[in-house]
Amino acid sequence: MPTIHGTRPGRPQRPARPPGHPRSWEGATISSLRDYIREHTNPTVFAVSGIVIVAFVVMGVVATEPLLNAATATRDWIGEKLGWIYVLATTFFLGLALFLLFSRFGSIRLGPDDSRPEFGTVAWFAMLFTTGMGIGLVFWGVSEPVHHLHWPRRAEYLPGPDGAPVPEAAGEAMALSLFHWSFHPWAVYIALGLSLGYFAFRKGLPMRPASALYPLMGDRAFGWPGHIVDILAVFGTIFGLATSLGLGTLQINGGLNHVFGIPSNSFVQSVLIVVITLIALLSVVAGIDKGIRRLSVINLWLAFLLLVVVFLLGPKLWTISITTTGLGQYLAGLVPWSLAFPSPLVDPQAAEWTTAWSIFYWGWWISWAPFVGIFLARVSYGRTIREFVVGALFAPVVVSVLWFGVFGGASLYYDMFRDAGLNELAEEDRAFRMIDMLPVGAAVGAVISVLLIIVVSVFFVTSSDSGSLVVDTLTNGQDPRPVKSQRAFWALSEGAVTLVLLVLGGAEALSALQAAAVVTGLPFAVILLLMSWGLLKALKDEPRSPGRAERERMPGARP
């Protein structure tokens, strides 16, 4: 790749700021305002993203049912007709991660050859985990195994006429939960995060998804095709995050109602969103090191404490048994499940289950890839490709196995053998009902429930904070001096979108936009495949002995 020093081709350098040129809105002329917007934003991405977000919010509130029907119909059509794209794409991303782990490319750093990691290993992993899973893992850790127990993938495991679940279905319920929350989602994140980290830190290109397409598209990656890619990334990030934050709000409200008797209604949820968003705003202003890093480390230890407490107080022998059994079935079924796209003509139950669960998850993870992938790249400067893959693929999987084993295992036990009735409850209430079943007094149970509420709340803050960082990265036009007020704006926007969807639009509006976010996974699956192709093409030109040759910089690299 040829060497060039300067701005990317096709765009002239911005002239130097004349003395006295205004930097703020105060006293700004139309010309200076235009310069300010161009300097601190990417006008096309910022404007189009904002319009699309506002339009969907308005439609979600004003025309909830039509939007829900349209989005759900599109999602179902994609699942039925094009779900095989998700299946093959996610399997490819997992294969790509393993290939890079064991290949000669594993020693290449995300940065110059002499670069070293910006964050320590514990802090780095904490930020990976709290951003990549966070609220979703807590929300579904109890609920999803119960779902699969009562509505399994295999027809022979369907509950009998009395509604009682089949005991043999418990192992597969655990295995399928691990299937959705272990290797595949992190492989999707790695595909985008590794591509951006490589092109941004080693080749000097802007940290935006379009940069990874440079080896395939050349300068057009910085034109309108690249803008479309970045706009899709903003869309998936905002609405994917709003959906997750909405689920977190429901669970926090459910916990407060369970412990303190606080009503579970739209007013309380509004207050929760406002308060937690303001806390996230403080974290944004504090910056990554003082904000996200500290909160992530604190929450990692709080989540670990919660995990240990539930394990020690819960059915320990059953937990160990169902965890190892489920893990064994997951590893045994990893290849066939990864490539499975059952036909309704052959296995109607498996086909319906796959569309409702696996295809949904694959689209959901892919639509979240810009959010998590960009943040992973941002905090992984100086890591080798091998370190990145090990840290982002295997370490979180260990946590997922332990979390589902303890929380999911306890939920299966109490639902099957202690008549907890978890399947009859709303998802946000199941974790607190499971805690009630632990053999402890009401006071201790309340303390554990409060700890769970705190963990979900901090996950809310770190997700909102990292999400605002990602969206600002996509829309700030690669400003070398990013304005904190813009990150604060995005943090407030995420809270506002969540507030509008959850409170004014209700659960149906949230479901409609969740489906819309999943639909964006289809075009982004294709984009991710192209990004992976661009990464492999660029890696092929790396010297076999990193450090012996001067690092090349792509056209368009930052000086």
Side-chain angles (χ1 to χ4, degrees):
M1 297 176 184
T3 302
I4 186 170
H5 299 282
T7 56
R8 60 175 176 262
R11 170 173 288 192
Q13 295 192 30
R14 185 179 291 113
R17 185 188 307 275
H21 187 87
R23 290 187 56 87
S24 64
W25 304 107
E26 184 178 356
T29 63
I30 294 178
S31 176
S32 63
L33 179 60
R34 186 184 301 115
D35 290 342
Y36 183 93
I37 293 173
R38 289 178 177 175
E39 180 178 354
H40 295 290
T41 70
N42 181 324
T44 303
V45 177
F46 191 98
V48 175
S49 300
I51 292 172
V52 171
I53 290 169
V54 171
F56 266 83
V57 169
V58 172
M59 291 180 63
V61 175
V62 176
T64 302
E65 187 173 352
L67 180 61
L68 175 63
N69 293 337
T72 303
T74 304
R75 181 193 61 194
D76 293 342
W77 181 83
I78 290 175
E80 181 182 352
K81 304 296 183 182
L82 301 176
W84 58 272
I85 296 178
Y86 286 136
V87 170
L88 295 181
T90 53
T91 303
F92 170 79
F93 298 140
L94 180 55
L96 175 65
L98 295 175
F99 166 74
L100 292 175
L101 174 64
F102 296 107
S103 72
R104 69 178 180 89
F105 306 124
S107 60
I108 296 173
R109 291 193 177 274
L110 303 182
D113 293 328
D114 59 352
S115 62
R116 291 299 180 265
E118 181 180 1
F119 300 100
T121 301
V122 173
W124 178 62
F125 171 70
M127 288 188 286
L128 296 187
F129 176 72
T130 55
T131 302
M133 293 298 180
I135 293 174
L137 193 64
V138 177
F139 190 89
W140 292 108
V142 168
S143 189
E144 184 169 343
V146 174
H147 270 295
H148 300 326
L149 179 68
H150 290 268
W151 190 53
R153 185 179 188 274
R154 299 168 62 176
E156 57 265 35
Y157 285 165
L158 286 168
D162 59 351
V166 178
E168 293 80 4
E172 187 171 89
M174 179 64 66
L176 291 170
S177 299
L178 296 178
F179 176 57
H180 293 146
W181 286 86
S182 295
F183 289 124
H184 284 77
W186 288 98
V188 173
Y189 299 157
I190 287 171
L192 192 142
L194 195 57
S195 297
L196 292 189
Y198 175 82
F199 286 106
F201 295 139
R202 193 164 181 87
K203 298 300 181 182
L205 294 181
M207 186 171 285
R208 41 181 291 206
S211 294
L213 302 179
Y214 185 88
L216 307 178
M217 301 175 61
D219 295 346
R220 288 177 296 172
F222 304 117
W224 66 265
H227 292 329
I228 292 176
V229 172
D230 293 339
I231 289 168
L232 285 172
V234 173
F235 178 78
T237 298
I238 289 290
F239 288 103
L241 188 58
T243 301
S244 182
L245 297 183
L247 294 176
T249 302
L250 290 174
Q251 190 165 32
I252 294 170
N253 195 181
L256 294 175
N257 175 261
H258 183 82
V259 178
F260 302 108
I262 296 175
S264 182
N265 55 40
S266 59
F267 174 76
V268 175
Q269 292 160 12
S270 301
V271 173
L272 287 173
I273 293 172
V274 170
V275 171
I276 299 177
T277 298
L278 291 176
I279 297 174
L281 186 61
L282 295 176
S283 178
V284 166
V285 174
I288 292 180
D289 188 64
K290 295 180 180 179
I292 301 177
R293 183 189 66 83
R294 290 182 179 178
L295 286 175
S296 297
V297 173
I298 291 172
N299 217 35
L300 184 66
W301 288 112
L302 289 177
F304 178 74
L305 174 63
L306 183 63
L307 185 77
V308 171
V309 168
V310 173
F311 173 74
L312 293 178
L313 296 177
K316 291 178 285 295
L317 186 59
W318 164 266
T319 297
I320 295 172
S321 173
I322 196 65
T323 301
T324 55
T325 300
L327 179 60
Q329 291 191 27
Y330 165 52
L331 295 177
L334 181 59
V335 173
W337 287 347
S338 296
L339 296 172
F341 186 60
S343 169
L345 300 177
V346 177
D347 192 340
Q349 174 64 20
E352 185 179 2
W353 183 94
T354 299
T355 300
W357 282 99
S358 295
I359 300 302
F360 165 79
Y361 266 120
W362 300 162
W364 185 244
W365 297 131
I366 290 172
S367 70
W368 260 62
F371 164 43
V372 180
I374 292 175
F375 185 78
L376 297 190
R378 172 64 183 81
V379 300
S380 298
Y381 174 82
R383 299 279 173 184
T384 66
I385 289 178
R386 187 169 290 114
E387 287 176 331
F388 188 95
V389 173
V390 170
L393 186 62
F394 292 100
V397 168
V398 172
V399 176
S400 293
V401 171
L402 293 176
W403 193 274
F404 272 98
V406 172
F407 285 87
S411 68
L412 291 172
Y413 175 84
Y414 290 126
D415 192 73
M416 295 173 62
F417 306 116
R418 293 294 184 269
D419 298 323
L422 296 178
N423 191 52
E424 301 171 3
L425 300 175
E427 284 86 351
E428 62 267 21
D429 297 327
R430 293 176 181 177
F432 300 102
R433 172 62 174 164
M434 184 273 292
I435 292 175
D436 276 347
M437 301 298 294
L438 296 174
V440 295
V444 176
V447 171
I448 298 173
S449 295
V450 170
L451 179 58
L452 177 61
I453 293 171
I454 293 173
V455 169
V456 175
S457 300
V458 180
F459 275 141
F460 191 126
V461 173
T462 54
S463 295
S464 178
D465 194 352
S466 53
S468 63
L469 172 66
V470 167
V471 176
D472 186 52
T473 299
L474 289 169
T475 60
N476 70 6
Q478 296 303 307
D479 182 7
R481 301 175 300 277
V483 181
K484 284 187 177 181
S485 60
Q486 290 182 186
R487 282 182 57 194
F489 165 76
W490 288 115
L492 292 173
S493 297
E494 291 156 4
V497 170
T498 305
L499 182 65
V500 170
L501 299 182
L502 189 61
V503 177
L504 299 183
E508 288 190 350
L510 193 63
S511 299
L513 287 161
Q514 181 184 17
V518 172
V519 170
T520 64
L522 182 63
F524 219 88
V526 178
I527 292 170
L528 272 178
L529 290 171
L530 294 174
M531 292 176 66
S532 301
W533 181 13
L535 175 63
L536 291 173
K537 188 173 181 180
L539 288 174
K540 190 171 61 175
D541 295 332
E542 285 281 346
R544 300 193 68 87
S545 299
R548 294 185 180 180
E550 181 182 357
R551 180 172 63 94
E552 295 177 340
R553 295 176 65 86
M554 286 187 172
R558 293 188 298 270

mmCIF file of all heavy atoms in Angstrom, residues 107-133:
data_model
loop_
_atom_site.group_PDB
_atom_site.id
_atom_site.type_symbol
_atom_site.label_atom_id
_atom_site.label_comp_id
_atom_site.label_asym_id
_atom_site.label_seq_id
_atom_site.Cartn_x
_atom_site.Cartn_y
_atom_site.Cartn_z
ATOM 1 N N SER A 107 0.305 -12.075 15.840
ATOM 2 C CA SER A 107 1.294 -11.243 16.524
ATOM 3 C C SER A 107 1.260 -9.780 16.098
ATOM 4 O O SER A 107 1.976 -8.953 16.659
ATOM 5 C CB SER A 107 2.696 -11.802 16.274
ATOM 6 O OG SER A 107 2.985 -11.817 14.880
ATOM 7 N N ILE A 108 0.438 -9.444 15.121
ATOM 8 C CA ILE A 108 0.340 -8.060 14.658
ATOM 9 C C ILE A 108 -0.408 -7.227 15.696
ATOM 10 O O ILE A 108 -1.439 -7.645 16.220
ATOM 11 C CB ILE A 108 -0.393 -7.999 13.302
ATOM 12 C CG1 ILE A 108 0.421 -8.737 12.236
ATOM 13 C CG2 ILE A 108 -0.652 -6.561 12.885
ATOM 14 C CD1 ILE A 108 -0.298 -8.862 10.909
ATOM 15 N N ARG A 109 0.123 -6.046 15.959
ATOM 16 C CA ARG A 109 -0.501 -5.170 16.958
ATOM 17 C C ARG A 109 -1.504 -4.217 16.314
ATOM 18 O O ARG A 109 -1.363 -3.835 15.160
ATOM 19 C CB ARG A 109 0.566 -4.361 17.709
ATOM 20 C CG ARG A 109 1.421 -5.206 18.625
ATOM 21 C CD ARG A 109 2.238 -4.377 19.591
ATOM 22 N NE ARG A 109 2.985 -5.252 20.488
ATOM 23 C CZ ARG A 109 2.502 -5.759 21.623
ATOM 24 N NH1 ARG A 109 1.281 -5.434 21.996
ATOM 25 N NH2 ARG A 109 3.233 -6.558 22.375
ATOM 26 N N LEU A 110 -2.488 -3.839 17.105
ATOM 27 C CA LEU A 110 -3.438 -2.814 16.686
ATOM 28 C C LEU A 110 -2.812 -1.463 16.997
ATOM 29 O O LEU A 110 -3.182 -0.769 17.937
ATOM 30 C CB LEU A 110 -4.772 -2.995 17.416
ATOM 31 C CG LEU A 110 -5.439 -4.362 17.256
ATOM 32 C CD1 LEU A 110 -6.771 -4.392 17.972
ATOM 33 C CD2 LEU A 110 -5.604 -4.730 15.787
ATOM 34 N N GLY A 111 -1.857 -1.093 16.186
ATOM 35 C CA GLY A 111 -1.061 0.104 16.375
ATOM 36 C C GLY A 111 0.337 -0.148 15.846
ATOM 37 O O GLY A 111 0.620 -1.196 15.262
ATOM 38 N N PRO A 112 1.254 0.802 16.033
ATOM 39 C CA PRO A 112 2.639 0.577 15.615
ATOM 40 C C PRO A 112 3.220 -0.640 16.323
ATOM 41 O O PRO A 112 2.718 -1.085 17.350
ATOM 42 C CB PRO A 112 3.345 1.872 16.052
ATOM 43 C CG PRO A 112 2.256 2.885 16.171
ATOM 44 C CD PRO A 112 1.031 2.137 16.599
ATOM 45 N N ASP A 113 4.316 -1.165 15.768
ATOM 46 C CA ASP A 113 4.915 -2.362 16.330
ATOM 47 C C ASP A 113 5.388 -2.162 17.758
ATOM 48 O O ASP A 113 5.477 -3.122 18.534
ATOM 49 C CB ASP A 113 6.094 -2.819 15.455
ATOM 50 C CG ASP A 113 5.622 -3.306 14.091
ATOM 51 O OD1 ASP A 113 4.505 -3.858 14.028
ATOM 52 O OD2 ASP A 113 6.354 -3.137 13.097
ATOM 53 N N ASP A 114 5.721 -0.924 18.128
ATOM 54 C CA ASP A 114 6.204 -0.669 19.480
ATOM 55 C C ASP A 114 5.101 -0.186 20.415
ATOM 56 O O ASP A 114 5.372 0.215 21.547
ATOM 57 C CB ASP A 114 7.334 0.367 19.459
ATOM 58 C CG ASP A 114 6.875 1.694 18.840
ATOM 59 O OD1 ASP A 114 5.746 1.750 18.302
ATOM 60 O OD2 ASP A 114 7.662 2.666 18.877
ATOM 61 N N SER A 115 3.854 -0.217 19.975
ATOM 62 C CA SER A 115 2.748 0.237 20.819
ATOM 63 C C SER A 115 2.445 -0.794 21.898
ATOM 64 O O SER A 115 2.700 -1.987 21.731
ATOM 65 C CB SER A 115 1.502 0.498 19.979
ATOM 66 O OG SER A 115 1.065 -0.694 19.345
ATOM 67 N N ARG A 116 1.881 -0.319 22.994
ATOM 68 C CA ARG A 116 1.498 -1.188 24.096
ATOM 69 C C ARG A 116 0.092 -0.816 24.560
ATOM 70 O O ARG A 116 -0.363 0.301 24.335
ATOM 71 C CB ARG A 116 2.496 -1.063 25.254
ATOM 72 C CG ARG A 116 3.879 -1.640 24.944
ATOM 73 C CD ARG A 116 3.796 -3.122 24.626
ATOM 74 N NE ARG A 116 5.096 -3.708 24.313
ATOM 75 C CZ ARG A 116 5.567 -3.848 23.075
ATOM 76 N NH1 ARG A 116 4.851 -3.398 22.036
ATOM 77 N NH2 ARG A 116 6.730 -4.418 22.866
ATOM 78 N N PRO A 117 -0.614 -1.744 25.221
ATOM 79 C CA PRO A 117 -2.013 -1.498 25.597
ATOM 80 C C PRO A 117 -2.191 -0.245 26.445
ATOM 81 O O PRO A 117 -1.364 0.078 27.295
ATOM 82 C CB PRO A 117 -2.395 -2.758 26.388
ATOM 83 C CG PRO A 117 -1.488 -3.819 25.866
ATOM 84 C CD PRO A 117 -0.199 -3.121 25.553
ATOM 85 N N GLU A 118 -3.302 0.432 26.176
ATOM 86 C CA GLU A 118 -3.627 1.658 26.904
ATOM 87 C C GLU A 118 -4.197 1.363 28.276
ATOM 88 O O GLU A 118 -4.017 2.129 29.221
ATOM 89 C CB GLU A 118 -4.639 2.467 26.078
ATOM 90 C CG GLU A 118 -5.057 3.788 26.681
ATOM 91 C CD GLU A 118 -6.059 4.515 25.809
ATOM 92 O OE1 GLU A 118 -6.441 3.979 24.737
ATOM 93 O OE2 GLU A 118 -6.467 5.626 26.203
ATOM 94 N N PHE A 119 -4.912 0.217 28.414
ATOM 95 C CA PHE A 119 -5.556 -0.147 29.670
ATOM 96 C C PHE A 119 -5.023 -1.484 30.166
ATOM 97 O O PHE A 119 -4.626 -2.345 29.376
ATOM 98 C CB PHE A 119 -7.082 -0.244 29.495
ATOM 99 C CG PHE A 119 -7.719 1.034 29.042
ATOM 100 C CD1 PHE A 119 -8.053 1.227 27.703
ATOM 101 C CD2 PHE A 119 -7.991 2.052 29.937
ATOM 102 C CE1 PHE A 119 -8.636 2.406 27.277
ATOM 103 C CE2 PHE A 119 -8.573 3.237 29.521
ATOM 104 C CZ PHE A 119 -8.900 3.410 28.191
ATOM 105 N N GLY A 120 -5.013 -1.660 31.489
ATOM 106 C CA GLY A 120 -4.623 -2.928 32.078
ATOM 107 C C GLY A 120 -5.591 -4.030 31.701
ATOM 108 O O GLY A 120 -6.733 -3.779 31.286
ATOM 109 N N THR A 121 -5.157 -5.289 31.892
ATOM 110 C CA THR A 121 -5.965 -6.429 31.444
ATOM 111 C C THR A 121 -7.313 -6.492 32.144
ATOM 112 O O THR A 121 -8.346 -6.721 31.507
ATOM 113 C CB THR A 121 -5.191 -7.737 31.685
ATOM 114 O OG1 THR A 121 -3.952 -7.686 30.966
ATOM 115 C CG2 THR A 121 -5.997 -8.938 31.200
ATOM 116 N N VAL A 122 -7.342 -6.300 33.467
ATOM 117 C CA VAL A 122 -8.604 -6.392 34.201
ATOM 118 C C VAL A 122 -9.566 -5.289 33.766
ATOM 119 O O VAL A 122 -10.749 -5.540 33.489
ATOM 120 C CB VAL A 122 -8.351 -6.316 35.718
ATOM 121 C CG1 VAL A 122 -9.684 -6.250 36.476
ATOM 122 C CG2 VAL A 122 -7.549 -7.520 36.186
ATOM 123 N N ALA A 123 -9.067 -4.054 33.682
ATOM 124 C CA ALA A 123 -9.924 -2.940 33.259
ATOM 125 C C ALA A 123 -10.400 -3.144 31.830
ATOM 126 O O ALA A 123 -11.562 -2.868 31.499
ATOM 127 C CB ALA A 123 -9.168 -1.620 33.385
ATOM 128 N N TRP A 124 -9.503 -3.629 30.974
ATOM 129 C CA TRP A 124 -9.861 -3.877 29.568
ATOM 130 C C TRP A 124 -10.959 -4.913 29.465
ATOM 131 O O TRP A 124 -11.967 -4.715 28.787
ATOM 132 C CB TRP A 124 -8.612 -4.320 28.811
ATOM 133 C CG TRP A 124 -8.838 -4.659 27.371
ATOM 134 C CD1 TRP A 124 -9.278 -3.832 26.384
ATOM 135 C CD2 TRP A 124 -8.610 -5.929 26.734
ATOM 136 N NE1 TRP A 124 -9.351 -4.498 25.175
ATOM 137 C CE2 TRP A 124 -8.940 -5.795 25.373
ATOM 138 C CE3 TRP A 124 -8.152 -7.157 27.206
ATOM 139 C CZ2 TRP A 124 -8.827 -6.843 24.473
ATOM 140 C CZ3 TRP A 124 -8.046 -8.203 26.296
ATOM 141 C CH2 TRP A 124 -8.385 -8.039 24.953
ATOM 142 N N PHE A 125 -10.786 -6.037 30.162
ATOM 143 C CA PHE A 125 -11.809 -7.079 30.107
ATOM 144 C C PHE A 125 -13.125 -6.594 30.699
ATOM 145 O O PHE A 125 -14.203 -6.917 30.194
ATOM 146 C CB PHE A 125 -11.341 -8.331 30.840
ATOM 147 C CG PHE A 125 -12.432 -9.357 31.000
ATOM 148 C CD1 PHE A 125 -12.908 -10.055 29.898
ATOM 149 C CD2 PHE A 125 -13.008 -9.586 32.238
ATOM 150 C CE1 PHE A 125 -13.930 -10.976 30.034
ATOM 151 C CE2 PHE A 125 -14.034 -10.512 32.375
ATOM 152 C CZ PHE A 125 -14.491 -11.212 31.274
ATOM 153 N N ALA A 126 -13.046 -5.814 31.793
ATOM 154 C CA ALA A 126 -14.273 -5.304 32.406
ATOM 155 C C ALA A 126 -15.065 -4.460 31.420
ATOM 156 O O ALA A 126 -16.293 -4.563 31.330
ATOM 157 C CB ALA A 126 -13.930 -4.484 33.656
ATOM 158 N N MET A 127 -14.353 -3.620 30.646
ATOM 159 C CA MET A 127 -15.046 -2.787 29.657
ATOM 160 C C MET A 127 -15.596 -3.638 28.515
ATOM 161 O O MET A 127 -16.686 -3.372 27.997
ATOM 162 C CB MET A 127 -14.096 -1.708 29.139
ATOM 163 C CG MET A 127 -13.799 -0.625 30.162
ATOM 164 S SD MET A 127 -12.860 0.785 29.516
ATOM 165 C CE MET A 127 -11.228 0.062 29.372
ATOM 166 N N LEU A 128 -14.854 -4.684 28.107
ATOM 167 C CA LEU A 128 -15.371 -5.589 27.079
ATOM 168 C C LEU A 128 -16.678 -6.213 27.531
ATOM 169 O O LEU A 128 -17.677 -6.222 26.801
ATOM 170 C CB LEU A 128 -14.359 -6.707 26.791
ATOM 171 C CG LEU A 128 -12.989 -6.397 26.208
ATOM 172 C CD1 LEU A 128 -12.277 -7.691 25.860
ATOM 173 C CD2 LEU A 128 -13.090 -5.515 24.979
ATOM 174 N N PHE A 129 -16.651 -6.756 28.735
ATOM 175 C CA PHE A 129 -17.795 -7.522 29.214
ATOM 176 C C PHE A 129 -19.011 -6.639 29.466
ATOM 177 O O PHE A 129 -20.126 -6.953 29.038
ATOM 178 C CB PHE A 129 -17.411 -8.265 30.489
ATOM 179 C CG PHE A 129 -18.553 -9.009 31.119
ATOM 180 C CD1 PHE A 129 -19.051 -10.162 30.524
ATOM 181 C CD2 PHE A 129 -19.144 -8.559 32.287
ATOM 182 C CE1 PHE A 129 -20.111 -10.850 31.092
ATOM 183 C CE2 PHE A 129 -20.198 -9.237 32.867
ATOM 184 C CZ PHE A 129 -20.676 -10.392 32.265
ATOM 185 N N THR A 130 -18.813 -5.512 30.179
ATOM 186 C CA THR A 130 -19.957 -4.675 30.531
ATOM 187 C C THR A 130 -20.584 -4.034 29.302
ATOM 188 O O THR A 130 -21.787 -3.759 29.287
ATOM 189 C CB THR A 130 -19.542 -3.572 31.523
ATOM 190 O OG1 THR A 130 -18.455 -2.828 30.976
ATOM 191 C CG2 THR A 130 -19.120 -4.172 32.843
ATOM 192 N N THR A 131 -19.785 -3.807 28.262
ATOM 193 C CA THR A 131 -20.331 -3.227 27.033
ATOM 194 C C THR A 131 -20.978 -4.294 26.162
ATOM 195 O O THR A 131 -22.054 -4.096 25.611
ATOM 196 C CB THR A 131 -19.224 -2.513 26.240
ATOM 197 O OG1 THR A 131 -18.637 -1.511 27.064
ATOM 198 C CG2 THR A 131 -19.797 -1.859 24.997
ATOM 199 N N GLY A 132 -20.313 -5.445 26.015
ATOM 200 C CA GLY A 132 -20.792 -6.458 25.090
ATOM 201 C C GLY A 132 -21.996 -7.230 25.563
ATOM 202 O O GLY A 132 -22.781 -7.716 24.749
ATOM 203 N N MET A 133 -22.164 -7.408 26.861
ATOM 204 C CA MET A 133 -23.287 -8.192 27.381
ATOM 205 C C MET A 133 -24.141 -7.350 28.324
ATOM 206 O O MET A 133 -25.208 -6.904 28.011
ATOM 207 C CB MET A 133 -22.766 -9.440 28.099
ATOM 208 C CG MET A 133 -22.113 -10.442 27.161
ATOM 209 S SD MET A 133 -23.296 -11.055 25.930
ATOM 210 C CE MET A 133 -22.272 -12.168 24.991
#
